[in-house]
């Protein structure tokens, strides 16, 4: 092809890649918003539709089950049928499912809409990340783009709390679903700036045994973790589901090592840097989910904040994410080994979560919550930007979709396991506290019991983050990026690729 490019465009790069980043970022924001925005709307939706306390969790679980279990398949579909095409299908389907949920006359329709949202998100998320990966190949630009993308991935949840609070308080809970439609329309209008489709070589042949084992195994794990919140980790249902999931996923690994066209090629996760990036993302969201889940309850039930005020109270964390990912990590990714960002990021996040352990009923926002938010936000920015970058770094174009799906799967599974585990720890500690204070059944005692549970969960969450930092420090062995001889001075590349 002899088509000329502007002089500042690296060879082979998409000349409209920064506009493409806006489109991709909108899609990612929509997906991340939906994880937290519906949490804010759930109490109003439950009252409006007459959903029982036992069934309300399914409004959240239906989405996470479909999303988490279908991601690997969605990534491989993107590789085989074209990432831009899959991206547009995912956008249209997600918007349609959101509109269906917004008009839901009852629980069953809302539940179906949420499952459809999750299924289309499983197409949209890996295609978005892989489009980003193939749009930005020059090291400095790639670092900046993934810094922005990482900030959206880490901070979008807090934005969802604010938007959810605003929409629920001033309009209606249904707008927490309708809001996805205009975002999807704006993103779809920018389809022409996305890089053209490049499909995997050969006829599309799906690894059917791998698909069945991966989907069923992930469903069992995510469902088991979600049921642990209500049934307890020791229940037969939860234990059986987790064992079944582990067996199916082990069988999936064995199958992938022997088939000609695997759903998840071992080469994708076999690289120590990519594997460490998946691990960092999966374990770091434990800290994020602890912040969102328990601080939301703390501010609303203990401090008496409204839904809107709670969302606003999370905004400093979003600002800290932007500084960590876009201001610091994006500048350092081309200059330092990734573990020099990820490991300190995990330790800073762990420190922030640990600052929440001493919280009590009378703690102020400025002294008790704000410092922790700032540290967790900054630390997550340092973790997510390089992790998202290196999660797809070095894979062939034919594997970009499934590599992107793998990091999203790590995020979903980590969030599901972390939420269920930490919630179980918190409720158990609260129950023990209330039992030991049975003679003082006051409202203040009830609040103190909640805070006691949150503190125990924060201890475990912080410990997990420290453990993740140690593991990543040992495994992520990619050296400092170096410059290719004769290359432009602004184009460093990872040493193991140069």
């Amino acid at each position: 092809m002899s088509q000329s490019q502007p002089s500042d465009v690296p060879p082979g790069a998409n000349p409209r890649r920064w506009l493409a980043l806006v489109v991709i970022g909108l899609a990612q924001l929509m997906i991340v918003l939906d994880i937290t925005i519906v949490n804010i709307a759930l109490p109003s939706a439950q009252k409006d539709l007459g959903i029982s306390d036992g069934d309300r969790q399914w409004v959240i679980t239906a989405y996470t089950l479909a999303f988490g279990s279908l991601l690997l398949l969605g990534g491989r579909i993107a590789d085989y049928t074209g990432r831009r095409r899959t991206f547009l299908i995912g956008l249209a389907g997600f918007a349609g499912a959101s509109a269906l949920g917004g008009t839901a006359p009852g629980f069953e329709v809302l539940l179906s809409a949420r499952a459809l949202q999750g299924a289309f998100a499983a197409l949209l998320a890996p295609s978005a990340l892989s489009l980003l990966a193939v749009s930005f190949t020059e090291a400095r630009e790639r670092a900046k783009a993934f810094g922005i993308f990482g900030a959206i991935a880490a901070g979008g949840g807090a934005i969802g709390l604010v938007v959810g609070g605003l929409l629920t308080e001033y309009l209606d809970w249904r707008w927490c679903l309708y809001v996805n439609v205009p975002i999807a329309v704006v993103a779809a209008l920018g389809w022409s700036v996305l890089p053209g489709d490049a499909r995997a070589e050969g006829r599309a042949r799906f690894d059917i045994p791998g698909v069945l084992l991966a989907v069923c195994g992930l469903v069992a794990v995510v469902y088991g973790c979600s049921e642990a919140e209500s049934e307890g980790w020791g229940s037969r249902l939860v234990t059986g589901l987790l064992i079944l999931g582990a067996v199916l996923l082990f069988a999936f690994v064995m199958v992938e090592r022997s088939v000609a066209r695997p759903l998840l090629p071992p080469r994708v996760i076999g690289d120590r840097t990519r594997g460490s990036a998946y691990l960092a993302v999966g374990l770091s969201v434990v800290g994020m989910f602890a912040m969102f889940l328990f601080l939301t309850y703390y501010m609303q039930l203990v401090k008496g904040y409204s839904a809107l005020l709670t969302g606003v109270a999370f905004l400093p964390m979003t600002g800290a994410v932007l500084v960590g990912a876009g201001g610091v990590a994006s500048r350092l990714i081309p200059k330092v080994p990734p573990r020099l960002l990820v490991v300190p990021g995990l330790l800073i996040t762990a420190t922030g979560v640990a600052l929440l352990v001493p919280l009590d009923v009378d703690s102020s926002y400025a002294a008790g919550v704000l410092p922790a938010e700032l540290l967790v936000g900054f630390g997550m920015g340092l973790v997510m930007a390089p992790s998202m970058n290196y999660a797809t770094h070095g894979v062939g174009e034919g594997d970009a979709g499934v590599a992107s799906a793998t990091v999203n799967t790590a995020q979903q599974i980590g969030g599901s396991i972390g939420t269920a585990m930490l919630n179980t720890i918190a409720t158990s500690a609260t129950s023990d506290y209330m039992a030991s204070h049975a003679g003082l059944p006051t409202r203040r005692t009830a609040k103190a019991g909640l805070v006691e549970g949150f503190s125990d969960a924060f201890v475990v969450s912080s410990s997990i983050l420290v453990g993740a930092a140690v593991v990543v420090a040992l495994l992520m062995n990619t050296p400092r990026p170096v410059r290719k001889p004769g290359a432009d001075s602004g184009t460093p590349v990872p040493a193991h690729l140069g």
Side-chain angles (χ1 to χ4, degrees):
M1 289 190 296
S2 59
Q3 204 171 9
S4 62
Q5 288 183 315
S7 59
D8 60 338
V9 178
N14 176 10
R16 294 184 288 180
R17 57 202 178 282
W18 293 108
L19 290 176
L21 174 61
V22 174
V23 174
I24 295 165
L26 279 174
Q28 177 68 12
L29 179 63
M30 185 175 66
I31 295 169
V32 176
L33 281 177
D34 210 70
I35 295 173
T36 54
I37 197 171
V38 175
N39 288 337
I40 294 292
L42 188 54
S44 298
Q46 181 182 359
K47 182 179 179 181
D48 189 22
L49 301 181
I51 303 172
S52 69
D53 288 345
D55 286 338
R56 67 184 176 188
Q57 67 159 327
W58 283 103
V59 177
I60 305 299
T61 304
Y63 178 82
T64 57
L65 267 178
F67 189 16
S69 62
L70 294 174
L71 270 165
L72 290 177
L73 178 59
R76 192 45 96 191
I77 289 173
D79 286 331
Y80 278 137
T81 65
R83 287 177 280 274
R84 182 164 68 176
R85 178 181 299 179
T86 306
F87 180 85
L88 293 173
I89 293 171
L91 268 180
F94 197 93
S98 299
L100 175 65
T103 59
F107 174 61
E108 291 78 12
V109 176
L110 179 60
L111 194 65
S112 300
R114 291 289 288 161
L116 282 172
Q117 278 186 304
F120 283 108
L123 286 176
L124 185 56
S127 58
L129 182 56
S130 57
L131 281 169
L132 185 67
V134 299
S135 294
F136 292 90
T137 55
E138 192 272 331
R140 291 188 184 277
E141 289 191 347
R142 183 181 173 95
K144 188 180 298 182
F146 274 90
I148 295 170
F149 192 84
I152 295 172
I159 298 173
L161 294 172
V162 178
V163 174
L166 281 169
L167 294 175
T168 302
E169 195 160 323
Y170 293 108
L171 291 175
D172 185 79
W173 68 266
R174 296 178 184 275
W175 280 96
C176 291
L177 292 162
Y178 288 145
V179 72
N180 292 322
V181 178
I183 297 175
V185 169
V186 172
L189 289 175
W191 68 272
S192 62
V193 304
L194 299 174
D197 285 333
R199 307 178 190 180
E201 294 181 5
R203 187 169 58 89
R205 290 189 299 172
F206 289 101
D207 169 22
I208 301 302
V211 168
L212 293 175
L213 288 170
V215 170
C216 293
L218 291 171
V219 164
V221 171
V222 176
Y223 182 33
C225 291
S226 65
E227 287 297 291
E229 294 185 53
S230 57
E231 301 292 329
W233 288 98
S235 70
R236 289 184 178 181
L237 174 64
V238 172
T239 303
L241 284 169
L242 294 179
I243 292 175
L244 175 62
V247 170
L248 291 173
L249 291 176
F250 177 77
F252 168 71
V253 172
M254 294 297 102
V255 167
E256 298 307 278
R257 296 177 64 181
S258 59
V259 297
R261 291 182 176 270
L263 177 66
L264 177 58
R267 62 180 175 270
V268 171
I269 58 175
D271 178 85
R272 286 176 62 173
T273 298
R274 284 196 297 271
S276 301
Y278 302 147
L279 187 65
V281 170
L283 292 177
S284 65
V285 296
V286 173
M288 286 294 288
F289 274 66
M291 290 284 291
F292 286 139
L293 178 65
F294 299 122
L295 281 186
T296 298
Y297 279 109
Y298 176 78
M299 287 189 274
Q300 292 193 25
L301 298 183
V302 177
K303 305 302 290 185
Y305 291 7
S306 67
L308 176 58
L309 184 57
T310 299
V312 171
F314 276 108
L315 284 180
M317 185 165 71
T318 304
V321 170
L322 293 174
V323 172
V328 176
S330 64
R331 286 182 168 86
L332 293 180
I333 286 172
K335 300 176 181 178
V336 301
R339 64 179 167 190
L340 289 189
L341 292 172
V342 176
V343 173
L346 288 167
L347 292 175
I348 291 170
T349 304
T351 303
V353 174
L355 289 181
L356 295 171
V357 174
L359 278 183
D360 58 35
V361 175
D362 298 317
S363 297
S364 68
Y365 171 79
V369 175
L370 182 58
E373 283 191 6
L374 294 175
L375 285 177
V376 170
F378 184 76
M380 286 300 296
L382 294 182
V383 172
M384 295 300 283
S387 294
M388 289 291 186
N389 185 351
Y390 281 89
T392 57
H393 213 110
V395 297
E397 281 206 23
D399 290 331
V402 74
S404 304
T406 303
V407 70
N408 280 282
T409 301
Q411 193 170 9
Q412 284 297 305
I413 298 300
S416 297
I417 294 175
T419 301
M421 178 184 66
L422 295 174
N423 194 57
T424 302
I425 291 168
T427 53
S428 297
T430 297
S431 297
D432 292 343
Y433 182 91
M434 296 306 295
S436 64
H437 293 75
L440 300 169
T442 65
R443 187 171 182 178
R444 182 177 177 83
T445 303
K447 290 182 177 180
L450 283 174
V451 176
E452 182 76 11
F454 300 160
S455 294
D456 280 16
F458 289 137
V459 170
V460 175
S461 174
S462 183
S463 301
I464 291 172
L465 289 164
V466 171
V470 173
V471 173
V472 171
L474 294 174
L475 290 181
M476 188 174 273
N477 62 340
T478 301
R480 179 178 65 84
V482 297
R483 305 179 196 282
K484 281 186 176 181
D488 177 76
S489 61
T491 314
V493 297
H496 72 295
L497 297 176

